[in-house]
């Protein structure tokens, strides 16, 4: 298998770390949707990161769909089996992905759109959504000891830690003044683990 995309994307990084934790072998090809657009397009004309090329040459995209497929390959899941715990895990992952989505929107608005064309009302709305997602995510992970479900990291932990690191690095103004101690603790523990160190944010 080949995973295509840069580790500064939270979506690419969550897949890479998950693949490592699932024990699946893969090659990571660091192509950018911006600086190496044509090379990326030669693999996936949609140029969407992450892209996964299966051993059979099937090109998959969207981190959630990729993770669903690779869990079948691995024969195990990064979600808790208990229905109530699974529902809570899905809520945490959904909040973490909302953090990713809103942080990415802010980064794109500032980095890709000329300043005179930025829509401040829209930016204010996105910042508000990001703040709410972070607040709710902080509440949900406050019970982690140190992981949300048991004694090893699952997808809720992976996506939360990746989302927090991306937001802290790329949209630092979004976390200033907020007491997000549980997110900081979970992120610190995750970033010190072997799977995260193998695929560092860069």
């Amino acid at each position: 298998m080949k995973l295509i995309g840069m580790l500064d994307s939270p979506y690419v990084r969550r897949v890479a770390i998950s693949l490592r934790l699932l024990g699946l072998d893969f090659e990571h090809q660091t192509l950018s949707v911006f600086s190496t657009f044509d090379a990326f397009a030669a693999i996936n004309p949609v140029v969407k990161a992450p892209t996964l090329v299966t051993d059979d040459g099937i090109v998959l995209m969207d981190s959630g769909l990729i993770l669903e497929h690779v869990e079948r390959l691995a024969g195990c899941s990064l979600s808790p089996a208990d229905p109530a715990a699974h529902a809570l895990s899905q809520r945490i992952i959904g909040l973490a992905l909302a953090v990713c989505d809103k942080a990415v929107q802010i980064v794109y608005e500032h980095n890709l759109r000329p300043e005179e064309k930025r829509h401040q009302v829209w930016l204010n709305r996105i910042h508000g959504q990001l703040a709410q997602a972070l607040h709710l995510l902080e509440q949900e992970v406050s019970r982690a000891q140190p992981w949300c479900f048991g004694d090893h990291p699952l997808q809720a932990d992976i996506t939360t830690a990746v989302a927090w690191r991306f937001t802290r690095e790329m949209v630092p103004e979004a976390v200033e003044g907020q007491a997000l101690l549980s997110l900081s603790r979970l992120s610190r523990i995750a970033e010190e683990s072997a799977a995260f160190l193998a695929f560092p944010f860069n």
Side-chain angles (χ1 to χ4, degrees), residues 70-184:
V70 297
E71 284 189 351
R72 291 198 177 198
L73 290 180
C76 59
S77 176
L78 291 170
S79 295
D82 174 75
H86 183 268
L88 181 56
S89 174
Q90 295 295 84
R91 171 169 169 75
I92 293 170
I93 293 168
L95 287 168
L97 289 174
V99 169
C100 291
D101 292 347
K102 297 308 168 184
V104 167
Q105 283 182 286
I106 293 168
V107 170
Y108 281 8
E109 189 73 17
H110 282 281
N111 292 353
L112 299 180
R113 194 184 301 277
E115 185 174 359
E116 66 275 9
K117 294 187 177 180
R118 291 178 198 153
H119 186 28
Q120 192 57 50
V121 174
W122 174 242
L123 267 172
N124 291 344
R125 176 176 175 174
I126 298 170
H127 272 281
Q129 290 174 291
L130 176 56
Q132 284 297 321
L134 284 168
H135 172 69
L136 292 170
L137 189 58
E138 169 73 13
Q139 291 181 333
E140 294 295 349
V141 303
S142 63
R143 295 179 293 275
Q145 297 181 350
W147 309 113
C148 293
F149 302 95
D151 59 359
H152 60 279
L154 295 178
Q155 193 55 239
D157 306 291
I158 298 165
T159 306
T160 295
V162 166
W164 171 253
R165 179 67 184 276
F166 178 82
T167 304
R168 192 187 67 189
E169 297 284 350
M170 302 301 293
V171 196
E173 68 274 16
V175 302
E176 290 176 359
Q178 293 196 62
L180 301 171
L181 301 180
S182 297
L183 284 170
S184 297

Side-chain angles (χ1 to χ4, degrees), residues 5-9 13 28 30 165 169-170 198-202:
M6 306 290 289
L7 291 175
D8 60 0
S9 160
R13 194 173 183 224
H28 179 213
T30 55
R165 179 67 184 276
E169 297 284 350
M170 302 301 293
F199 301 100
F201 177 90
N202 56 25

